[in-house]
């Protein structure tokens, strides 16, 4: 994955998800999109570290954390904020990278 040194830190959940998707190869995006909720659980642990790095660079990324709290509708710690980003990532990939039946 690309280091955040060369780009600004995301300030919203949408920007964080965009950054992660842009760093993922197409085949990985499709694999994640096809995963069930049970299958995505182990991947959440791997993505959690990446997302927490984004939240913690330059101290806590308060704008991103606030965006996560707004999305969730409640106050969150870094783990909760990371979970919001990962859940939004999975939802977006399911919408954009799932194979659809064409009639």
């Amino acid at each position: 994955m690309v280091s955040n040194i060369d780009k600004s830190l995301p300030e919203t959940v949408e920007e964080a998800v965009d950054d992660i998707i842009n760093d993922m190869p197409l085949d990985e995006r499709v694999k994640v999109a096809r995963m069930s909720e049970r299958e995505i659980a182990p991947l959440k642990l791997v993505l959690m570290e990446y997302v927490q790095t984004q939240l913690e660079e330059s101290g806590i990324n308060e704008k991103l954390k606030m965006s996560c709290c707004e999305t969730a509708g409640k106050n969150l710690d870094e783990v909760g904020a990371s979970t919001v980003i990962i859940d939004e990532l999975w939802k977006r990939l399911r919408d954009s990278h799932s194979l659809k039946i064409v009639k």
Side-chain angles (χ1 to χ4, degrees):
M1 294 195 181
V2 176
S3 168
N4 281 333
I5 294 170
D6 298 332
K7 58 186 175 182
S8 63
L9 293 174
E11 295 182 353
T12 65
V13 172
E14 184 175 290
E15 289 175 359
V17 171
D18 288 343
D19 286 354
I20 295 167
I21 288 174
N22 289 335
D23 288 347
M24 292 176 77
L26 177 60
D27 63 325
E28 287 184 24
R29 289 185 236 162
V30 172
K31 286 177 190 174
V32 171
R34 290 180 178 173
M35 290 181 171
S36 68
E37 194 164 350
R38 192 177 95 246
E39 292 170 323
I40 195 87
L43 182 59
K44 282 185 177 184
L45 296 173
V46 174
L47 286 173
M48 184 87 55
E49 183 178 326
Y50 174 75
V51 171
Q52 285 180 342
T53 299
Q54 288 190 340
L55 284 167
E56 294 170 358
E57 286 196 15
S58 304
I60 295 297
N61 184 340
E62 288 298 330
K63 289 182 181 179
L64 179 55
K65 188 175 174 187
M66 276 183 27
S67 178
C68 292
C69 293
E70 289 172 10
T71 299
K74 61 183 177 181
N75 197 16
L76 302 167
D77 60 11
E78 285 73 27
V79 172
S82 299
T83 300
V84 168
I85 294 169
I86 293 164
D87 289 344
E88 290 299 315
L89 169 71
W90 184 51
K91 288 177 194 173
R92 188 173 319 161
L93 288 175
R94 288 179 63 93
D95 288 343
S96 64
H97 288 76
S98 292
L99 295 176
K100 309 227 182 330
I101 298 173
V102 178
K103 294 181 181 184

